[in-house]
Amino acid sequence: MAFFALSWASQAGGAEAIQLGDVVPKELRSSPSISTDVICVHAEDVERVLNDSAEALEKNGLPPWEPSKEDEQKHYADVSIAYFIQLSQPEKLSLVKRVFDLLYSPTDAFLYSVDADKLAVADVEQALGLVGARKLSRPNVRVQAAAHADYYFWPRVQIVLDGMTQLLDEQWDFVIHLSESDYPAHSASYIRHALSQQFYPDYAALLALENGTTTYSPWFWNYVDGVAVSCGSESKAYLNTSLHWPQQEMEDVGIRFGSSSEWVILTRELVEYSAKPALIDFKRIMSLRIESDESFWATLILSIPGMTQSISQQGWFISWDRSEGQPQHSPATLNNQLGQEVFDNPNMYLFVRKVSEGNSSAFLDRIDRRIRSETLQDKSEQDVDFAKFEAPLNVERTRCPKDAPVWFLNPIF
């Protein structure tokens, strides 16, 4: 399959759905069940788009969830994984290759999305060994350029949705969204075995959103009133605080706002659902919300009528540095001290975030020794009761109180 670079069309006017062209394979673009639209809302059309989308959602609602017909657990060796990895830092390429070597399997799919403003596709291909005199034939690995997108705004979500829609052309059961700062906490066979336990109807399909339970979120952006304005990469996204964000009105039409990490493990069924054309009004509303990159998946799963899939407590180990002078919404770089929980409670965590080869060197070497041990002894065959990590969506579907306006799918550390 050819490598495609994202091409964002520049258009004038109001609320638009820009076709992605060759970003998505033709066979998917022609499918009536797959949406390939880029959301574009200009400032002068925000109020109209909000009203029109809210009216459409009130009339039609979100499409109902269709439970998986899968009634048998797959053997772990039969579970296929898609990896969607976003890259932007040249200094992390050595770490990217290290993770690639740990996770690579010819039965899985790998799509690397490269921030075109900060990193060259050719450098990533070189680092992964896909080009050059000693290149390896790995047709299941693709590297492509993506437009730069700032944190907290919809174009960042759009890149993820576009990438995952592309991956639907491959056969897989789960997709794992990673960055260059993530590292596996176990061997690839262990991760595959853990995911294989998620094949029970009405329970098991995994949605790992940093682990855990559901609580109220204190995150700063949840309390900022304003509307995010963006149109792909046509112009820089910004927050317009002169416009009111209609939280109550949106909840009145069934949108239950949530917050979570953007680094997730998703079932194929959920990704297919997210690509439904009928979600266009939901996406338009979410595109106008600040922090959409950390609220899209949580809000979607909390709002789907008849949603049966559960949240697994397994997922990422993240340590938050709350010391004075440190950013309050940025994970600490892990070392042996901060990451000890990964070894004290090993079955809880599939990945760790964030790491660097310098500051995390001893910690990563320690994880590598465990991975080698798992690989040699094939510990993935051990009888680990992964079902105990299930965390059902057990919060009542009511609006969030004014002093805590967003549900947070919360990590348990």
Side-chain angles (χ1 to χ4, degrees):
M1 183 179 296
F3 298 157
F4 299 119
L6 291 178
S7 63
W8 302 82
S10 175
Q11 301 202 11
E16 300 158 2
I18 304 172
Q19 292 298 316
L20 279 181
D22 283 341
V23 171
V24 179
K26 179 183 292 186
E27 59 270 23
L28 289 184
R29 295 202 306 274
S30 61
S31 170
S33 64
I34 296 293
S35 171
T36 59
D37 293 337
V38 172
I39 306 302
C40 173
V41 182
H42 293 286
E44 61 270 22
D45 295 296
V46 167
E47 185 175 359
R48 178 177 60 80
V49 172
L50 279 172
N51 290 336
D52 290 350
S53 295
E55 183 178 348
L57 284 172
E58 183 175 18
K59 178 181 178 181
N60 303 315
L62 294 184
W65 180 255
E66 298 178 5
S68 172
K69 296 181 176 61
E70 186 72 59
D71 59 1
E72 294 183 2
Q73 177 185 325
K74 285 190 176 183
H75 186 271
Y76 83 93
D78 297 324
V79 171
S80 297
I81 300 172
Y83 294 92
F84 180 67
I85 306 104
Q86 288 186 269
L87 308 178
S88 64
Q89 303 177 52
E91 65 274 16
K92 289 285 187 87
L93 285 179
S94 176
L95 181 63
V96 170
K97 177 59 161 62
R98 184 170 172 174
V99 172
F100 177 68
D101 289 341
L102 290 173
L103 295 178
Y104 179 77
S105 167
T107 63
D108 297 329
F110 294 78
L111 177 57
Y112 288 85
S113 179
V114 181
D115 187 326
D117 285 2
K118 298 185 176 183
L119 186 60
V121 166
D123 291 341
V124 177
E125 292 175 333
Q126 184 70 42
L128 296 178
L130 303 178
V131 296
R134 298 183 178 181
K135 70 177 181 180
L136 299 173
S137 176
R138 287 173 169 167
N140 59 327
V141 182
R142 287 180 280 157
V143 183
Q144 65 183 28
H148 174 74
D150 292 331
Y151 286 105
Y152 310 133
F153 291 98
W154 178 259
R156 189 168 177 85
V157 182
Q158 189 74 60
I159 288 173
V160 175
L161 292 176
D162 296 340
M164 290 187 178
T165 300
Q166 282 184 262
L167 284 167
L168 288 175
D169 193 36
E170 312 294 338
Q171 295 301 312
W172 47 268
D173 302 295
F174 299 90
V175 62
I176 303 178
H177 183 201
L178 300 172
S179 77
E180 61 243 304
S181 295
D182 296 313
Y183 202 83
H186 290 280
S187 66
S189 59
Y190 179 101
I191 295 171
R192 196 180 307 278
H193 184 55
L195 297 183
S196 75
Q197 307 303 302
Q198 312 300 323
F199 279 91
Y200 298 102
D202 299 346
Y203 147 63
L206 178 69
L207 175 68
L209 295 137
E210 272 194 39
N211 308 312
T213 59
T214 317
T215 63
Y216 296 122
S217 171
W219 173 221
F220 168 77
W221 284 117
N222 296 333
Y223 298 87
V224 174
D225 193 17
V227 172
V229 181
S230 67
C231 183
S233 61
E234 177 183 317
S235 59
K236 186 175 178 62
Y238 66 96
L239 178 67
N240 187 334
T241 55
S242 67
L243 298 174
H244 169 64
W245 171 253
Q247 179 86 16
Q248 181 173 332
E249 292 86 343
M250 296 299 100
E251 292 193 352
D252 285 343
V253 299
I255 304 303
R256 183 168 173 237
F257 289 100
S259 179
S260 73
S261 170
E262 61 180 313
W263 315 107
V264 295
I265 300 173
L266 305 172
T267 62
R268 183 183 185 94
E269 292 83 2
L270 185 57
V271 175
E272 289 175 338
Y273 182 93
S274 74
K276 287 178 176 289
L279 285 180
I280 186 65
D281 289 297
F282 173 78
K283 290 177 180 177
R284 283 177 178 146
I285 285 176
M286 291 303 299
S287 77
L288 296 169
R289 180 171 175 79
I290 190 64
E291 195 221 14
S292 54
D293 54 342
E294 295 189 347
S295 60
F296 175 78
W297 291 114
T299 300
L300 179 63
I301 192 174
L302 291 171
S303 303
I304 297 174
M307 179 60 173
T308 58
Q309 293 190 350
S310 301
I311 298 173
S312 172
Q313 296 180 56
Q314 287 180 298
W316 277 252
F317 175 79
I318 301 175
S319 177
W320 300 93
D321 188 348
R322 302 302 188 193
S323 59
E324 185 177 355
Q326 295 299 316
Q328 298 298 290
H329 194 64
S330 180
T333 299
L334 296 175
N335 53 32
N336 273 329
Q337 180 180 358
L338 292 175
Q340 181 58 40
E341 167 68 9
V342 176
F343 302 96
D344 292 342
N345 198 1
N347 291 329
M348 180 65 76
Y349 307 107
L350 301 181
F351 293 89
V352 298
R353 175 174 177 82
K354 64 181 180 179
V355 298
S356 69
E357 285 196 300
N359 295 335
S360 308
S361 177
F363 176 66
L364 295 180
D365 289 343
R366 193 176 171 192
I367 290 180
D368 285 351
R369 288 193 292 273
R370 179 166 74 181
I371 289 175
R372 285 194 295 271
S373 175
E374 288 176 347
T375 302
L376 290 172
Q377 300 177 33
D378 200 13
K379 289 187 176 181
S380 61
E381 292 283 18
Q382 289 187 359
D383 186 20
V384 178
D385 182 15
F386 291 105
K388 68 182 180 182
F389 299 118
E390 179 205 11
L393 292 171
N394 56 5
V395 176
E396 294 181 3
R397 289 180 176 270
T398 57
R399 82 167 74 253
C400 299
K402 292 181 180 179
D403 60 344
V406 170
W407 296 102
F408 181 64
L409 302 181
N410 188 50
I412 301 175
F413 297 141

